[in-house]
Amino acid sequence: MLAKANRITRGADYRATVRRGIRFTDANTVTYVRSNPDSQVVRFGFIAGKSVGTAPRRNLVRRRLKAAAYEMLPRLEPGMDVVIRALPASAQVEWATLHEEISRAVSRITSRGNLRR
């Protein structure tokens, strides 16, 4: 489970990351990344809208995304905000598939080097 320090909790931070961050699109997720000079840790946020399914299905998808993000924490540099949006197809895929997509997005983030400020 992600510690409270590693979670985006304010709507303004979600909006800033989605609007001004770099976007990585995959089959089941869209990952937005933004450098946050005010933060000393990596922070994650998750979006699973009603198009993903019923509340239990959305919560399952969100828990899977959180578990994948927790494993990616050591690979990211402090001061990054990452928002992962679950697409409707994510409700039907296994955890391993979501984990692979998040891992691929993190690899693209780390290989990209400097992010926009």
Side-chain angles (χ1 to χ4, degrees):
M1 174 139 208
L2 289 170
K4 183 157 178 79
N6 294 113
R7 289 183 270 168
I8 297 175
T9 56
R10 294 180 40 227
D13 292 336
Y14 272 95
R15 281 188 297 279
T17 303
V18 170
R19 289 180 182 164
R20 291 190 288 268
I22 299 170
R23 182 176 63 208
F24 300 97
T25 305
D26 224 319
N28 303 299
T29 59
V30 179
T31 304
Y32 303 91
V33 182
R34 178 178 75 103
S35 180
N36 184 356
D38 298 334
S39 177
Q40 301 302 319
V41 295
V42 177
R43 298 187 315 162
F44 283 93
F46 305 93
I47 301 170
K50 287 188 176 182
S51 63
V52 173
T54 61
R57 178 56 65 176
R58 291 192 308 268
N59 290 334
L60 174 68
V61 170
R62 194 176 301 114
R63 283 193 306 271
R64 287 178 175 175
L65 292 173
K66 284 180 182 180
Y70 179 77
E71 291 187 13
M72 300 302 142
L73 270 175
R75 294 175 48 189
L76 292 168
E77 296 176 20
M80 286 187 181
D81 284 351
V82 181
V83 172
I84 302 170
R85 178 185 301 273
L87 297 176
S90 64
Q92 307 304 322
V93 298
E94 297 294 322
W95 180 83
T97 306
L98 290 175
H99 184 273
E100 182 182 323
E101 285 188 13
I102 302 306
S103 179
R104 194 170 30 242
V106 167
S107 295
R108 286 187 253 164
I109 293 165
T110 55
S111 69
R112 193 156 193 163
N114 256 348
L115 293 173
R116 301 179 234 175
R117 297 244 175 218

